[in-house]
Amino acid sequence: MTPLFLIASAITFAAPPPAKDSVGEITIWVGEKPTRFLPDGTRAKDIPVLNTLKLAGINDRITPDFKSVVSIDYSATDRVKRIHK
Amino acid sequence: MTALDGNSKPFILPAYVPQSFFLSADGTKVYFSGLRGEEVADEKYFGVTSWVLDLVSKKVAGLNLPVNHYLEAISSDGKTMISSTFTQEKEFYVRRTFLTDGNAEKPIEILKPGVSAFEVRFSPDGSQVLIHAVEYVNLKWNGGDFSASDITRNEAVLVNVVTRKESTVESLPVATIRAWSWSPDGKRIAYVVHDPNAKGGVPGKKEYSIFVAEPNGANAKLIYKAEGSDLEYFDWR
């Protein structure tokens, strides 16, 4: 006779993982930390980020592997001289 | 391009002044509009050209958009684009919005002249575009920023890419929406609401509420709240 705890383990391990690829995850970056979570608001987790990294704003893009960010350095724009670098 | 953990040297594209850009869905390309050079005089600011940067080879190639067209969005397959132009007509600037697909000889105007398109987002299959449409009155360029005497239209619009039919999404609170994104399957959208006039909360911190709804705004549900300074990024993928 199979012990009940083994049956319970088999059921647990046989359960499919969350369908992340079809459901996806939402990422929001407010202030210093980006956070990812499922579209029902659960399983929130922070993305590790260098604490000195400063983004230019809402138009920045995080790469699909969540390892890099692509941005425009607007700080190089000199409005006073009307020169945009 | 900067590593989020700071463990590698940032890649900086030299000799271009980008003004708008988008990362491809697979993260291998950056589509951008701007100007060549290390600096650009203000009177040439609107004479943009569009390119695509391959992040693997670091090579830049031209994009099939006319000069003076700002890239506003590009479909995930890279074949359909939304662009905008700023043209001076007498003392005011007029903004126009265009759709370019792979078969078009030239961009086709959508919305109507004078309407500015913000937060332009293609659905994952490229069949629809969600746009925050704002119509400004007497739009002026002050050598750094735009100003207008009034706003006569401020709404979310869904545009069918094939028929170019426009549908107003009345149930989305565009006045307080800061960003939105399609779900990976294109069946829902998520959006961030921040009301700058809201009372309460933690001093010095802004509250952002994230909702999920159908693309027409129906069945909106608050799913998450975040607090902090400014909203830097929002996406669903």
Side-chain angles (χ1 to χ4, degrees):
Chain A
M1 182 176 172
T2 307
L4 282 176
F5 77 90
L6 281 182
I7 294 175
S9 298
I11 291 171
T12 302
F13 289 126
K20 177 177 172 268
D21 290 342
S22 59
V23 175
E25 286 183 306
I26 293 171
T27 304
I28 186 167
W29 189 332
V30 174
E32 296 179 349
K33 63 171 185 178
T35 304
R36 295 161 67 185
F37 49 87
L38 292 176
D40 61 1
T42 63
R43 298 196 190 181
K45 54 180 181 280
D46 292 343
I47 302 172
V49 171
L50 182 70
N51 59 10
T52 56
L53 184 65
K54 181 62 183 169
L55 297 186
I58 188 65
N59 289 319
D60 294 312
R61 297 285 182 267
I62 297 175
T63 54
D65 60 7
F66 290 93
K67 291 183 178 178
S68 303
V69 61
V70 179
S71 59
I72 295 176
D73 181 9
Y74 291 105
S75 66
T77 300
D78 189 335
R79 298 288 190 194
V80 177
K81 296 179 181 176
R82 293 189 170 189
I83 298 296
H84 303 271
K85 296 181 180 178
Chain B
M1 185 164 80
T2 309
L4 288 172
D5 60 7
N7 285 334
S8 59
K9 188 179 178 183
F11 166 72
I12 300 172
L13 177 68
Y16 289 90
V17 183
Q19 295 178 28
S20 67
F21 78 100
F22 299 91
L23 184 65
S24 65
D26 63 4
T28 63
K29 298 181 182 70
V30 177
Y31 303 94
F32 66 99
S33 298
L35 297 138
R36 284 184 185 274
E38 297 296 340
E39 55 186 50
V40 176
D42 193 58
E43 60 269 22
K44 295 181 180 178
Y45 198 60
F46 296 110
V48 298
T49 301
S50 297
W51 295 277
V52 55
L53 163 67
D54 188 314
L55 288 173
V56 178
S57 67
K58 305 292 191 285
K59 290 183 177 177
V60 176
L63 200 58
N64 185 29
L65 274 182
V67 173
N68 299 331
H69 277 244
Y70 285 84
L71 182 65
E72 299 288 349
I74 188 162
S75 60
S76 58
D77 63 5
K79 295 180 178 176
T80 310
M81 294 174 280
I82 300 291
S83 61
S84 66
T85 61
F86 296 92
T87 52
Q88 188 167 9
E89 297 179 8
K90 298 181 180 176
E91 61 182 308
F92 301 113
Y93 273 86
V94 176
R95 191 168 173 182
R96 289 180 165 84
T97 308
F98 298 85
L99 186 151
T100 303
D101 64 34
N103 301 317
E105 293 183 3
K106 63 179 184 178
I108 300 164
E109 187 164 1
I110 60 173
L111 303 178
K112 72 171 194 174
V115 174
S116 296
F118 300 107
E119 284 295 310
V120 184
R121 299 287 184 267
F122 276 97
S123 59
D125 65 359
S127 66
Q128 298 180 89
V129 192
L130 183 60
I131 298 173
H132 181 189
V134 182
E135 186 167 4
Y136 296 104
V137 178
N138 299 336
L139 190 64
K140 285 187 175 180
W141 171 249
N142 306 311
D145 290 304
F146 283 102
S147 63
S149 61
D150 199 5
I151 294 175
T152 54
R153 183 184 182 190
N154 187 11
E155 60 191 13
V157 178
L158 266 176
V159 179
N160 183 301
V161 168
V162 176
T163 65
R164 297 188 292 283
K165 182 186 176 187
E166 300 167 13
S167 309
T168 300
V169 187
E170 295 179 355
S171 54
L172 285 177
V174 290
T176 55
I177 289 180
R178 295 291 315 280
W180 53 39
S181 181
W182 290 83
S183 64
D185 62 7
K187 294 179 180 176
R188 293 180 291 171
I189 59 169
Y191 56 91
V192 185
V193 169
H194 168 64
D195 183 356
N197 300 315
K199 295 179 180 177
V202 179
K205 288 193 174 183
K206 300 172 184 173
E207 185 177 272
Y208 298 90
S209 301
I210 296 96
F211 291 81
V212 168
E214 294 173 26
N216 63 3
N219 298 315
K221 182 181 178 184
L222 173 65
I223 59 148
Y224 196 83
K225 283 192 173 185
E227 276 187 347
S229 51
D230 294 323
L231 177 64
E232 306 282 5
Y233 178 84
F234 183 70
D235 199 3
W236 185 356
R237 62 188 177 199

